[in-house]
Amino acid sequence: MALVENVITLQKCQDVLEAEGEKKTMMKKMMRQIQEEPLDSLSSTVRWQAMETLTQLSHTQPILGWQERSELVDTCVKSVFSLPSVQAMQEKDEAKAEAIQKLYQQTLDALQTLLNALFVEDPTPAGLKSILEPLGPWMNSGKAHERARAVNSNVSVLNHTLLTLPFFMSSGFPALGLLLGRLILRIGDPDEEIGREALDGIIILYTILELQKRTRDKEETNKEELYESNKRFLGPYNPVSPCQNILRVIAEFGDFLGPQQVKDLLLAALEGLKGSSETRGKDSGEMMQLASEVTLSSVLEWYRHRVLEVIPEIMQGIYVQLSHIQEPRAREVALLPVSLLASSFMTEVVVALLTCPLPLDSNGAEMWRQLILRKPSCDVRDLLDLLLTSLKEKPFTKKGRASIVPLAAASGLCELLSVNSCVGRVRRIYPQLLLALLIQVHYHIGLNLPGRMAFRKDTKKDTQPSVFVPVRWVVKVVKTLLLRMGCSYEATFLEDQGGWELMGQAENHHRGVSLLARAMVHYSCQELCRILYLLIPLLERGDEKHKITATAFFVELLQMEQVRRIPEEYSLGRMAEGLNHQDPIMKVLCIRGLVILARRTEKTAKVQALLPSMVKGLKSMDGLLVVEAAHNLKTILKGQDRKLTDSSVYVEMLQILLPHFSDSREDVRSSCINLYGKVVQKLRSPRTPAMEEQLISTLVPLLLTMQEGNAKVSQKCMKTLFHCSCFMAWELPKRAYSRKSWDNQQQTVAKICKYLVTTHQDSAFTFLSQSLEYAKNSRASLRKYSVMFIGSLVPCMESIMTEDRLNEVKAALEDLRHDPEALVCIYAAQAQDHILASCWRNSWPLPHGDSWVCDPVPTHRWSPSCENLPTSHQRRSWIMQLLGSWKMSLKQ
């Protein structure tokens, strides 16, 4: 028996699957036939017969799914509603006018019968929604005959629903707000017949809702009597002033409108503003705008308290709809809910606007301006306080993800600043806004907000859109704020000095902020006192970025006379504490602050006492920061009493500057070498061992850097070397002070090396180590001349050379023979040759065997002086072999 039951069940399943497959196949075939019918004429019965067939199919099992039914309705509705008006089709073919009228009516009846049949097939709220939803957009068509067809079909479906009403909608009528809103707009349609039928549809809808309510309350009701009662209650239609009908309908539907329904009703009212007056006609467009305005204002007047939870969705809907609304008056109407809602729920509206895509387009910008441009406007004071609060947030969530809120707040502020009436209120919190924005600039450096950024398109040119960079946008807002507050001189100063670009760079942000503060002090900005007192507590708050920005601004304000009123612990004390900060930028800023304070007589001695701490703070610091701090320190050094100054401070400063002689950045090298010379000029006798050791260690770096080929740097080297020589009473060869290249000047190099080793034999190995280090430099010119220097220095150290150091030289030169730069390879080979020729042929194994092949190439000689060497040492065939192997390696 179980086996028989299973067989029967399987057979039934197979029958169901076959029936379902046949129904779907037939349905798709009919839909394809309908889609193939022309949309500009009605000449055959294919469309009508196909819909008749679909109606018959709706009575069969299984029932269609929601998606399938929606696609079917959309296909049929589009095919019928897109047809020209009956009158237009008859004028096109007058001979068949009567046949066209009859076929058109049959087609419309077939569509309506199909819609009703589909509802009977699935008499549920979801089934009803799948039928009504595709009809909705057609009710806002720019063509009267399309609107008439859509309204007629909607009313017919509603009427059929009222007559059958086979279900109780516990969750409410599906998409009530959208349907009601679209029908309300049609009450104000220029075509009176459409308006009259739309009102009838609303009466039917109201009756359905009343029946649902009474069913829930278990009340007995006569449908026909209730309908007639509602008809008298909501009607009659007033063709002269349809807005009276609209107001009455909105007022009476209140019992059935929850937050979602009110939201949908508002968004449906916005749909009526789409399109231009050219497509609708001027009178038609004005009537539609009036109907939308009356609907929006009355809904928000009576039901504003219900939309609190859906404000973000309303704002998003308005933003989306504005892209499709072009008429200026229509846009004003569409923006009406923004100001109306903000007057009661400003915080919620602002929070919703902060989610607009960035950068703000014209639609988002207009929504921000609407907050204060239209009445009733929100309180500007409270609005600015809200934006300031958002600007004080970090652009990160608690989970570490990027947040758009501060950037959106900055964008909103920028739009509000464009409204003249807002500028006066902004001045009240101008210092707070300026500092908050500057800190946001620091936070947004290098920050990307994927998924929330739009592209900026050039509407004038057909070019690729540029990527939106958040930090540039915040800098733009800072600039806008300055200009609107009357600080045009300051803004221009920063433009000329490149301060705006510096402000948006990670390594230069503090410099850009300092430039701004310096400009505001220079031009005596009226708000500086307020900013000064606001900054004092900010210096101890926030993270490192927050503190760096605040300190950079505060330091420049120390030039103000009002600083005398500040307790010393907040000025000198804070700057002194900053010298021990972990961040080198903070150290540099505090040095700058102390230098500024030292200009005041009463603070000079205290600042000078901190000079050793300032100098120590420069250790292990980036070259640019060292240069920046050292330039500031020069001011203090100039004012120092030389007799009272501890020379160890100068020596320590020289030790800090020396490593930056080989910095890859020209401006850093040049500045450090120049500053080195200035400090040497400050030194006074008697010379201490520390001074002598430090200056002797400067010789090789200066000599080699002078040869790098940069005229500016070479000039600084020459001057600094001269200052060192004067203090140390050196008698260097005259050619040592020459910027002329050492190429073909081996005798000059040899004389210099001999002098160094003879005069400072104890430092010979220091010279060797320095030259070996410079041989690793990234600049080929330094590597080349370092190799040449080594080739002359090592022979001078014959009496003191150790095996370990000699092996180190051998290894270094061997590596340099494979240098990517050809000249470095040649000079390395010549240096080996020169060292071999001098003393150590036995200690240096000859490459490629023991034999010396005498087939010289004159261009690879070290110098003419090598002619005085033994014949076996004059020419080296292995140099040519080396170059050949180097060329082969490059080819590979």
Side-chain angles (χ1 to χ4, degrees), residues 456-465:
R456 300 184 63 81
K457 294 183 179 179
D458 190 345
T459 55
K460 296 181 180 180
K461 300 178 181 180
D462 186 17
T463 57
Q464 290 292 329

Side-chain angles (χ1 to χ4, degrees), residues 469-507:
V469 181
V471 67
R472 293 179 188 169
W473 187 259
V474 185
V475 170
K476 177 188 174 184
V477 179
V478 175
K479 190 187 302 185
T480 303
L481 179 63
L482 285 174
L483 292 173
R484 294 299 284 170
M485 292 296 101
C487 300
S488 57
Y489 289 118
E490 291 87 339
T492 304
F493 176 81
L494 255 70
E495 195 77 49
D496 295 339
Q497 298 293 322
W500 298 120
E501 288 75 18
L502 292 175
M503 198 178 290
Q505 299 169 1
E507 66 278 6

